[in-house]
Amino acid sequence: MIEALVITSCALANCSATVSSKTNSVVFFISKVKLDFKGRTKYIKKKCVSLLRYLKSRMTGIVYKSTGSWYSIKSLDGDFYECRIKGKFRIQGIKSTNPLAVGDRVDFDLETSNNTQTGVITTIHPRNNYIVRKSVNLSKQTHIIASNIDQVFLLITIDSPPTFTSFIDRFLATTEAYAIKAVLLFNKVDVNDEATQNIVHELSELYESIGYPCLSISALTGENIEAVKTLMTGKSSMFAGHSGVGKSTLVNAIEPGLNIKTKEISEQHKQGQHTTTFAEMFDLSFDARIIDTPGIKGFGVVDMEPAEVDHYFPELFALKQSCKFHNCLHLHEPQCAVKLALENGEVSASRYKSYTQILEGDDEHYRTDNYEPK
Ligand SMILES: Nc1nc2c(ncn2[C@@H]2O[C@H](COP(=O)(O)OP(=O)(O)OP(=O)(O)O)[C@@H](O)[C@H]2O)c(=O)[nH]1
Ligand SMILES: [Mg+2]
Ligand SMILES: [Zn+2]
């Protein structure tokens, strides 16, 4: 009688298993090696076959696109499968309108019906990070824009459409909260007049001084696109920003073969037309992945306690240790280093304003604020 048999590999790759006839159990691990049936008993063989069948139908992949109830998932072998979730599927701790987001790693089982193979998602792997915002209509609920990303590029245009500093700052506070690198791309520089270009310079100076890399680009003429590609190489990135700032145009400029749909902004309202409706990830030809996302209208930050908001404004946080009170919120406290720096012009008025708005839970301003120079 054999006590244990080790399956050291199998055709479907990355599985290994230990089968014990003594305990009537089959234990398997995921790793890479070769199947060995030597010395098997009938019983163990039967167990192995059913185990392999089970493993063969069980896949792991990454969500590339989500269109409501269906998810496009790329398996580890590189094939795409259309998958869905069966029954209730909740992720602990996150009340989001979407249970799964682009970038999520999932396990799924394959099913065949009418000669079509689809998948049923069974498990989501823990996320390294995610970008989340409050849903526009359901302010208590949140929407996960994308997960497991290395960096975010926030596309900004000054007036077609306008991007306000309150929006930029809310977005950056969220990337800080999840420790995701953020880069600011000032797009459409080809159409900027002198006054607009001055604002771009001023904002670039401000955000560079805080530590955010800034680039002035044109997705249309190709200006600085190579620099963007260099920053993207070897990483999974996401393009974010208001509708009409040129996210999809930039993806097309970087990878012309993709031909993603783009649309001119409305002349009358100077707003984009919400052309991209679902986030989608693309593999690029130079070792990079990009997630194109739908335009964001407003960006409500999620789950920030008042005492932690300054953690997500690096230049304010750096001053905090010089405040008289260790729990200073930099509002009306005496001997506050942040307020002092604000008076001296060392902290930008627009950044401080964004900070106080988040602190006060002021969720309306992110839709209405104007750009205000310091
Ligand atoms: N002049 C100029 N126009 C640009 C540039 N980049 C994009 N556009 C134009 O801006 C309009 C909107 O571009 P899209 O790429 O559809 O914008 P988007 O950010 O993907 O918008 P949504 O999908 O709605 O979120 C299109 O008419 C583009 O041709 C640029 O660098 N310069
Ligand atoms: Mg788009
Ligand atoms: Zn203070």
Side-chain angles (χ1 to χ4, degrees), residues 113-137:
S113 77
N114 299 331
N115 285 332
T116 321
Q117 217 172 23
T118 56
V120 176
I121 298 162
T122 55
T123 324
I124 171 171
H125 296 208
R127 293 176 173 132
N128 296 336
N129 58 38
Y130 49 93
I131 290 278
V132 65
R133 70 174 168 92
K134 279 187 190 167
S135 294
V136 176
N137 300 323

Side-chain angles (χ1 to χ4, degrees), residues 2-7 17-20 36-40 44 48:
I2 308 147
E3 294 240 315
L5 172 126
V6 179
I7 302 174
T18 307
V19 183
S20 166
D36 185 357
F37 272 114
K38 251 179 256 147
R40 63 193 173 263
I44 289 175
C48 287

